[in-house]
Amino acid sequence: MASLSKAAQVRIAPSILAADFAKLGEEVRAVAAAGADFIHIDIMDGHFVPNLTIGPSVVKALRPHCDLPFDVHLMISPVDYMLEPFAEAGADVISLHPEAGPHLHRSLQTIRSLGKKAGVALNPATPVAVVDEVMDMVDLILVMSVNPGFGGQIFIESQLDKISALRARINAHTAAGGQPIDLEVDGGIDRETAPRAIAAGADVLVAGTATFRGGPDAYADNIAAIRGNG
Ligand code: DX5
Ligand code: ZN
């Protein structure tokens, strides 16, 4: 039963990168109805990563379609000038990459000062130790299990050790009275890789391709399968 209750705690964040961009409002409503816990929104600038997606105006347009928290993953550099626009557009959690700007601490302070939850996203080659000096000011640590920029990539196995290492750090932090920190894994998550990420310590799973494949009629089954209930 322990594994069942653990699985039940896992939250699923569909990445709308894999949704039909011609009907984003409908897609967000459909995954919310299908059991999603967050909406993961990938922001890419064609500079920090080799792909372009959407800006704050699209996030703002989506906001009335859904009550779920918007988990906004910024893959843009520079990043600081975009924190307030995304906060105003309706982001609930804003994550950034330490490589995206010169002052990670200041950027996290800015997100918190805007009344939003702050996240740090670690690329596959970014060391775990980057979070050590900011543990007290993050609400989320996002482990990239692919290189950022595209959906539909293969899960990078070496990130399982990183997830475990971060789980140990987060548990030690909260045991010492620190604030709760979610541990999110993003990239190549499907019904095969999800249980391994969960076993390593993840408590939020981003899933784009694995959520949106098969169209709206499949979303509830897809999400249940990723959660381990399929
Ligand atoms: C990649 C993005 C991911 C991506 C995941 O840069 O951060 O959120 O959408 O896509 P899948 O789930 O298809 O690997
Ligand atoms: Zn993402």
Side-chain angles (χ1 to χ4, degrees), residues 40 42 73 75 142 144 186 206:
H40 185 84
D42 290 303
H73 176 192
M75 289 161 274
L142 187 164
M144 291 300 305
D186 182 6
V206 176

Side-chain angles (χ1 to χ4, degrees), residues 53 55-56 83 103 139 141 167 179 185-186 192 212 222-223:
T53 58
L83 298 176
H103 304 291
D139 303 287
I141 299 174
R167 169 51 55 206
Q179 84 287 2
V185 177
D186 182 6
E192 314 295 333
F212 286 95
N222 290 346
I223 289 171

Side-chain angles (χ1 to χ4, degrees), residues 144-168:
M144 291 300 305
S145 41
V146 298
N147 283 295
F150 301 96
Q153 302 182 78
I154 303 293
F155 186 87
I156 299 174
E157 297 290 322
S158 60
Q159 299 310 295
L160 288 168
D161 284 348
K162 183 186 284 180
I163 298 164
S164 301
L166 285 162
R167 169 51 55 206

Side-chain angles (χ1 to χ4, degrees), residues 53-66:
T53 58
I54 59 173
S57 58
V58 178
V59 175
K60 185 176 179 186
L62 288 174
R63 190 63 280 183
H65 289 268
C66 173

Side-chain angles (χ1 to χ4, degrees), residues 116-183:
K116 306 302 178 181
K117 293 191 170 177
V120 176
L122 305 184
N123 281 334
T126 303
V128 165
V130 116
V131 300
D132 283 348
E133 305 301 327
V134 294
M135 283 295 277
D136 59 342
M137 50 194 313
V138 295
D139 303 287
L140 174 97
I141 299 174
L142 187 164
V143 175
M144 291 300 305
S145 41
V146 298
N147 283 295
F150 301 96
Q153 302 182 78
I154 303 293
F155 186 87
I156 299 174
E157 297 290 322
S158 60
Q159 299 310 295
L160 288 168
D161 284 348
K162 183 186 284 180
I163 298 164
S164 301
L166 285 162
R167 169 51 55 206
R169 274 170 159 83
I170 290 169
N171 287 353
H173 178 76
T174 50
Q179 84 287 2
I181 300 173
D182 287 336
L183 182 54

Side-chain angles (χ1 to χ4, degrees), residues 4-209:
L4 276 181
S5 66
K6 174 80 178 159
Q9 293 164 16
V10 171
R11 285 157 291 157
I12 307 297
S15 163
I16 61 169
L17 189 61
D20 182 342
F21 267 52
K23 341 177 168 164
L24 276 183
E26 280 173 55
E27 292 279 65
V28 162
R29 291 201 302 275
V31 288
D37 298 287
F38 299 96
I39 303 296
H40 185 84
I41 305 177
D42 290 303
I43 309 298
M44 305 182 182
D45 66 353
H47 166 74
F48 184 71
V49 291
N51 197 2
L52 269 174
T53 58
I54 59 173
S57 58
V58 178
V59 175
K60 185 176 179 186
L62 288 174
R63 190 63 280 183
H65 289 268
C66 173
D67 293 331
L68 295 179
F70 279 3
D71 170 30
V72 174
H73 176 192
L74 298 180
M75 289 161 274
I76 61 175
S77 178
V79 62
D80 290 328
Y81 79 111
M82 274 287 139
L83 298 176
E84 188 169 351
F86 279 106
E88 287 180 354
D92 296 283
V93 188
I94 301 177
S95 298
L96 55 86
H97 288 252
E99 298 87 352
H103 304 291
L104 176 62
H105 189 282
R106 175 179 287 149
S107 301
L108 295 170
Q109 278 182 321
T110 301
I111 296 169
R112 285 273 186 91
S113 74
L114 291 164
K116 306 302 178 181
K117 293 191 170 177
V120 176
L122 305 184
N123 281 334
T126 303
V128 165
V130 116
V131 300
D132 283 348
E133 305 301 327
V134 294
M135 283 295 277
D136 59 342
M137 50 194 313
V138 295
D139 303 287
L140 174 97
I141 299 174
L142 187 164
V143 175
M144 291 300 305
S145 41
V146 298
N147 283 295
F150 301 96
Q153 302 182 78
I154 303 293
F155 186 87
I156 299 174
E157 297 290 322
S158 60
Q159 299 310 295
L160 288 168
D161 284 348
K162 183 186 284 180
I163 298 164
S164 301
L166 285 162
R167 169 51 55 206
R169 274 170 159 83
I170 290 169
N171 287 353
H173 178 76
T174 50
Q179 84 287 2
I181 300 173
D182 287 336
L183 182 54
E184 182 172 59
V185 177
D186 182 6
I189 292 290
D190 58 22
R191 67 181 69 201
E192 314 295 333
T193 54
R196 295 158 66 212
I198 294 165
D203 49 22
V204 184
L205 299 178
V206 176
T209 306

